[in-house]
Amino acid sequence: MAEDNGKLERFEARINAGEKIEPKDWMPERYRQQLIRMMSQHAHSEVVGMLPEGNWITRAPSLRRKMVLLAKVQDEAGHGHYLYSATETLGVTREEMLEKLLSGKAKYSNIFNYPTLTWADIGVIGWLVDGAAIVNQTMLAKTSYGPYSRAMIRICKEENFHKKQGYEIVATMARGTPAQRKMVQDALNRWWWPTLMMFGPHDKDSPNSGDLLRWKVKLKTNDELRQRFVDITVPQAHAVGLTIPDPELRYNEETGHWEFGEIDWDEFWRVIRGNGPCNKERLAARRKAHQEGAWVRAAAEAYARKHGREPGKAA
Ligand code: BYC
């Protein structure tokens, strides 16, 4: 125990000195478990996040829009791979992580449990959802765990492109016909509040933030990042003539921040506990994809064995 205390002190001193923790370094079990929880949920979010947008690939309004959306959805699959690989460095297998997702035990971002009803939703997802992800992930790029930090740096570069494609769709529709303007405003009305929920509960109701902030996995709190997102996004809505659906929204000259109304936390907890509008549909789609991909996994394993490599390990 005394030895462990010494190790913990050295571990925390390294974190406080801004050093990265690498997979083979000593780390407290709680740090490892917190990272597995958060990183695997993040990986699942990328993969489940392909579903609402993938739904619109065949219905994109032009070839250019279709190609861009296809590339974006492929990027999300890539992000899932980086994140599952980074999480595997903590001693958990991809099969274990997927089992938790498919059995409904693991969480993934609340936002992907809402339906994409019109083409404007694709624009608003890129603008708001990827915009929120950038705010969160720019902070995570400086996280104390080396493999997570490096995955985030790469992912953020791609997310910036995603946000631009979304905002371009939104701006185009906002200066389009009255019907297009109505469609994009309606999409903003539906996605605004669930996007604010992406940052997690208020700091006072966030059980994991204590550990995560102490060990610099998170560098900013849920409420700090949510405020940053609101401050960045409100002027972007106004620039294209859209209205944020919040009657309490007002600019505070003294603080320089946009103040906003209270989030419906009952809705948040309902959705993340499995009872949102599309939770069942999303999990059913992932289970079907997993089953239909069984032959690919079997073939990859057989190939690896034939060539004397451990399945799942690169050559
Ligand atoms: N959704 O103690 P708290 C993307 C859970 S994908 C669901 O504050 P923490 C994209 C939380 O897990 C972006 N659950 O948690 C992809 C905890 O439950 P457990 C995904 C949530 O970890 C495709 C409980 O509530 N990004 O960008 O300190 C297309 C209490 O919360 C949520 C990430 O995953 C939520 N929104 O803070 C387009 C980023 N919020 O686990 C775009 C990495 C909270 O104790 N994750 N919960 O049972 C994080 O930064 C942090 O985990 C969070 C939550 C800020 C999300």
Side-chain angles (χ1 to χ4, degrees), residues 9-23:
E9 260 173 42
R10 280 196 296 282
F11 169 84
E12 293 192 339
R14 287 185 61 197
I15 288 190
N16 290 330
E19 277 181 48
K20 295 281 179 235
I21 305 301
E22 296 299 336

Side-chain angles (χ1 to χ4, degrees), residues 30 34 37-53 72-73 75-77 79 83 105-113 125-126 128-134 136-137 139-140 148 152 155 159 162 194-203 205-213 217-218 220-222 225-226 265 268-269 271-273:
R30 180 90 185 135
Q34 277 284 20
R37 179 191 66 83
M38 186 170 148
M39 291 167 66
S40 61
Q41 287 179 9
H42 194 164
H44 300 327
S45 304
E46 298 285 355
V47 172
V48 178
M50 295 165 74
L51 296 169
E53 290 175 292
K72 178 184 192 290
V73 174
D75 284 351
E76 314 298 356
H79 298 175
L83 285 163
K105 282 190 218 124
K107 293 193 172 68
Y108 57 86
S109 184
N110 68 300
I111 197 74
F112 302 118
N113 293 303
I125 288 178
L128 297 185
V129 175
D130 288 270
I134 292 169
N136 174 271
Q137 291 171 182
M139 177 266 306
L140 289 176
Y148 196 19
M152 283 296 113
I155 290 176
E159 300 286 24
H162 295 173
T195 304
L196 295 192
M197 295 174 198
M198 282 176 72
F199 294 93
H202 282 313
D203 299 345
D205 302 318
S206 162
N208 299 296
S209 282
D211 283 344
L212 296 175
L213 289 162
V217 173
K218 280 181 175 178
K220 296 258 189 270
T221 71
N222 298 357
L225 291 176
R226 186 168 16 245
W265 292 110
F268 170 77
W269 294 112
V271 170
I272 73 166
R273 286 178 184 144

Side-chain angles (χ1 to χ4, degrees), residues 86-98:
T87 316
E88 281 176 317
T89 65
L90 292 155
V92 60
T93 65
R94 200 170 289 221
E95 288 71 28
E96 286 169 295
M97 290 185 263
L98 287 176

Side-chain angles (χ1 to χ4, degrees), residues 218-233:
K218 280 181 175 178
L219 287 106
K220 296 258 189 270
T221 71
N222 298 357
D223 285 326
E224 284 169 339
L225 291 176
R226 186 168 16 245
Q227 183 65 56
R228 182 165 164 68
F229 170 78
V230 172
D231 289 341
I232 292 172
T233 311

